[in-house]
Amino acid sequence: MTFEELGLSAAVLTAVTDAGYSIPTPIQTQAIPIVLQGRDIIGCAQTGTGKTASFVLPMLDVLAEGRARARMPRSLILEPTRELAMQVAENFTKYGKNLKLNKALLIGGLSFDDQDKIIDRGADVLIATPGRLLDHFERGRLVLSDIKIFVIDEADRMLDMGFIPDVERISGLLPQLRQTLLFSATILPEIRRLADRFMINPKEISVAPSATPVDAVEQGLTIVHGDDKAKRHALRTLIRERAMTGAIIFCNRKKSVDIVYKSLSKHGFTAAGLHGDMSQPARLETLRKFKEGGAQFLVASDVAARGLDITGLPAVINYDVPTHPEDYIHRIGRTARAGQKGNAFTLATPEDGDFVAAIEKMMGRAIPRISVVGLGEVAFAESSGRRRRGRPGGPSPEPRAARVAPLRPQPEKAVTPPPPTPPVQPQPVRFDNQDAAGRDVRPAQQRLDRNDRRRDRYPRDNDPPVVGLGEHVPAFLLRPVVIREEIHEEPSENEEK
Ligand code: AMP
């Protein structure tokens, strides 16, 4: 199948050729003709599959047929984060360069006035995060009655971030006669309900089973004993041993982002930090710097985990094991994009056993254990008894990982040399909540996975409360609050402000 056979116009086809694409990806082959027919779509696809072009390309052709009036945009794309919205806007510019269409990017952290001016001129497409879109609407600057195409992208992420009530509200503000395209990596029941309510006879397309890690990513996990300092030492050793030229390094907390980024800089690496508490201009500038090669390492919170498209990123490092298994999938998906190979390394602590098990269960396979020269001979192959015995439905036991090529560890280049890390004694690796035989010794309730606990606590029709949504107050926050005292994880960081 070629792009020409999909029914796109010459103007769009030229832009696609200029972008260097010759063959449409499976989601593009399936979605483009249906969008051009005007039908609703539920698309089950991960980022990295060419999903964005699958809706942007046909939208450009549909929108090329008319013109927008002042304050009455003709199409709307909702994205869960500012970074994703910016990326989609860049795609619009790239693929729409031969068409005269106006776009408005409505995201938090940027001036309302500038966004108002673009809306006033007439926008063919609005690319927005839900909160900022509603803010514009409530200020009376936006008329949504002319929207003909409505895209809900990354619906599962919208759900995670508590945006589904806002999405429902926005759907209700749009004309009933419209085309709706919904994309999600997984079609969860809440998303299905949204689709049932707001879509008309949608065509369902699916290109990859949900939560399958990109096969092109070579994964490895090493268990680090010791304190935070030992972990930072392990990070530097890993980077040097693998001669890494660039990577996104994911931390679970904003505080860790700052510490790790400063530590890397101190040790002579060019690094930048990115997390949700930074101002929007600072976030944009950091991303720009990293994308243009001005920093080798981007130390980031999960604000950078979804959908970010950085061409040729060779590696991802999980400085912390993500506490939600789906975040692991999204993090490692930043590398090995568009047919390239990539590596994903994880630095685990002995306490991370549950989280690692949850990730492996979700992937249906184990993450190979690797040893890193210079970190001591930690017996990674002697992983938890639970893994050795195998679990029903869990990953099969992994054979001992081949030792990495014994690259010479390089001397530290620190401005101030750190005190030597205490030598790590070889020891069998067992996670804290296991007994000598590797059995899980926690009470039954604690053994339930996070989703089980969420389901227990929040029956199907109740959204769990979400905190910290910045300047916008979504409608669901005004509902009575359910206290989540039994859930001990940190709430996931909220990117949208
Ligand atoms: P997405 O899933 O939309 O985030 O896209 C992932 C990456 O694939 C982006 O870098 C796109 O530029 C690239 N891409 C999209 N369509 C194609 C195609 N047909 N051939 C090659 N690369 C593509």
Side-chain angles (χ1 to χ4, degrees):
M1 175 70 79
T2 62
F3 276 107
E4 284 75 14
E5 292 171 83
L6 296 177
L8 296 165
S9 71
V12 171
L13 286 174
T14 311
V16 167
T17 309
D18 292 350
Y21 311 152
S22 44
I23 314 267
T25 64
I27 185 82
Q28 292 163 3
T29 307
Q30 293 185 61
I32 291 173
I34 301 169
V35 180
L36 290 173
Q37 282 167 22
R39 267 192 80 174
D40 286 2
I41 285 184
I42 298 178
C44 183
Q46 298 174 304
T47 62
T49 54
K51 163 172 74 79
T52 314
S54 80
F55 60 85
V56 170
L57 298 178
M59 275 179 80
L60 285 165
D61 272 344
V62 174
L63 294 171
E65 310 264 300
R67 279 284 157 265
R69 285 179 283 168
R71 294 203 273 153
M72 295 182 77
R74 302 160 62 211
S75 63
L76 168 63
I77 300 174
L78 282 187
E79 294 289 336
T81 68
R82 302 166 184 182
E83 279 74 14
L84 280 169
M86 278 162 39
Q87 206 161 276
V88 170
E90 283 166 17
N91 275 250
F92 243 93
T93 309
K94 181 162 77 173
Y95 305 135
K97 65 180 186 175
N98 301 319
L99 298 167
K100 287 199 174 66
L101 294 173
N102 294 331
K103 64 173 188 307
L105 179 63
L106 308 185
I107 56 177
L110 297 179
S111 135
F112 274 101
D113 286 348
D114 294 347
Q115 294 174 356
D116 283 343
K117 279 183 202 143
I118 302 173
I119 295 170
D120 288 348
R121 279 208 304 272
D124 296 290
V125 59
L126 293 183
I127 303 161
T129 47
R132 183 52 74 105
L133 182 94
L134 284 170
D135 287 342
H136 273 282
F137 182 79
E138 278 156 13
R139 291 162 82 238
R141 303 302 300 244
L142 202 51
V143 182
L144 295 173
S145 55
D146 209 24
I147 298 283
K148 304 280 191 309
I149 308 177
F150 177 38
V151 181
I152 306 167
D153 196 17
E154 301 267 332
D156 52 336
R157 181 63 159 167
M158 300 272 193
L159 181 70
D160 278 357
M161 295 176 71
F163 289 159
I164 292 294
D166 281 353
V167 176
E168 285 174 349
R169 186 169 163 221
I170 292 165
S171 303
L173 297 171
L174 306 181
Q176 287 196 341
L177 259 187
R178 60 158 198 263
Q179 184 178 13
T180 305
L181 315 174
L182 182 148
F183 292 89
S184 188
T186 44
I187 308 296
L188 300 163
E190 295 88 336
I191 293 170
R192 173 72 55 194
R193 274 204 298 276
L194 181 75
D196 289 347
R197 203 169 143 205
F198 291 106
M199 300 177 80
I200 301 168
N201 187 24
K203 170 89 180 156
E204 295 200 22
I205 54 182
S206 176
V207 293
S210 60
T212 301
V214 188
D215 285 329
V217 181
E218 201 178 319
Q219 301 173 54
L221 179 144
T222 197
I223 302 179
V224 181
H225 294 261
D227 58 7
D228 289 349
K229 199 177 261 183
K231 211 168 176 198
R232 292 197 291 277
H233 173 75
L235 174 67
R236 295 193 297 277
T237 308
L238 179 70
I239 290 174
R240 288 183 178 131
E241 188 204 79
R242 299 288 170 134
M244 281 186 212
T245 51
I248 301 186
I249 299 167
F250 283 104
C251 301
N252 287 359
R253 292 178 190 78
K254 296 168 196 164
K255 203 173 147 201
S256 310
V257 169
D258 281 336
I259 295 171
V260 172
Y261 139 65
K262 284 178 188 149
S263 159
L264 283 177
S265 307
K266 198 176 105 185
H267 284 271
F269 298 96
T270 52
L274 182 76
H275 58 67
D277 274 359
M278 290 162 62
S279 71
Q280 187 59 17
R283 281 159 71 163
L284 294 180
E285 175 55 23
T286 304
L287 265 182
R288 189 195 58 73
K289 187 173 157 191
F290 183 63
K291 282 185 174 180
E292 291 175 4
Q296 284 178 291
F297 298 98
L298 180 69
V299 186
S301 63
D302 280 295
V303 72
R306 293 254 182 166
L308 268 199
D309 187 25
I310 295 169
T311 313
L313 182 73
V316 163
I317 301 175
N318 290 306
Y319 179 81
D320 296 308
V321 177
T323 53
H324 302 167
E326 60 271 28
D327 286 341
Y328 179 85
I329 311 285
H330 290 293
R331 288 178 180 188
I332 70 167
R334 297 315 94 224
T335 183
R337 294 177 73 75
Q340 295 175 330
K341 294 262 173 224
N343 290 284
F345 301 102
T346 299
L347 299 176
T349 65
E351 295 78 37
D352 286 331
D354 280 355
F355 299 132
V356 172
I359 292 165
E360 292 181 325
K361 187 176 175 194
M362 179 182 244
M363 292 197 296
R365 65 171 98 166
I367 307 173
R369 280 16 178 193
I370 56 168
S371 55
V372 178
V373 175
L375 288 188
E377 286 299 304
V378 180
F380 292 109
E382 302 267 345
S383 78
S384 70
R386 202 189 323 180
R387 284 176 38 72
R388 280 202 306 278
R389 286 202 324 276
R391 285 166 289 133
S396 52
E398 189 74 9
R400 185 185 179 105
R403 277 200 52 130
V404 284
L407 299 180
R408 215 181 300 275
Q410 296 170 12
E412 293 272 342
K413 290 182 196 149
V415 179
T416 322
T421 311
V424 181
Q425 293 303 319
Q427 51 182 290
V429 175
R430 187 180 340 122
F431 293 111
D432 282 357
N433 44 36
Q434 292 166 347
D435 63 13
R439 283 183 293 267
D440 195 332
V441 293
R442 292 166 308 151
Q445 183 57 29
Q446 281 182 31
R447 286 205 298 269
L448 290 174
D449 71 15
R450 171 178 169 262
N451 288 335
D452 289 335
R453 274 184 275 143
R454 279 173 75 94
R455 275 194 292 276
D456 279 352
R457 180 122 193 97
Y458 305 107
R460 288 165 72 87
D461 290 315
N462 286 341
D463 292 316
V466 175
V467 291
L469 291 172
E471 62 206 23
H472 170 72
V473 183
F476 74 99
L477 273 186
L478 304 174
R479 291 192 213 136
V481 174
V482 184
I483 308 294
R484 43 187 313 195
E485 71 277 10
E486 285 170 28
I487 295 185
H488 300 299
E489 306 102 350
E490 289 216 323
S492 56
E493 183 178 84
N494 193 330
E495 292 97 328
E496 175 54 13
K497 295 207 169 168

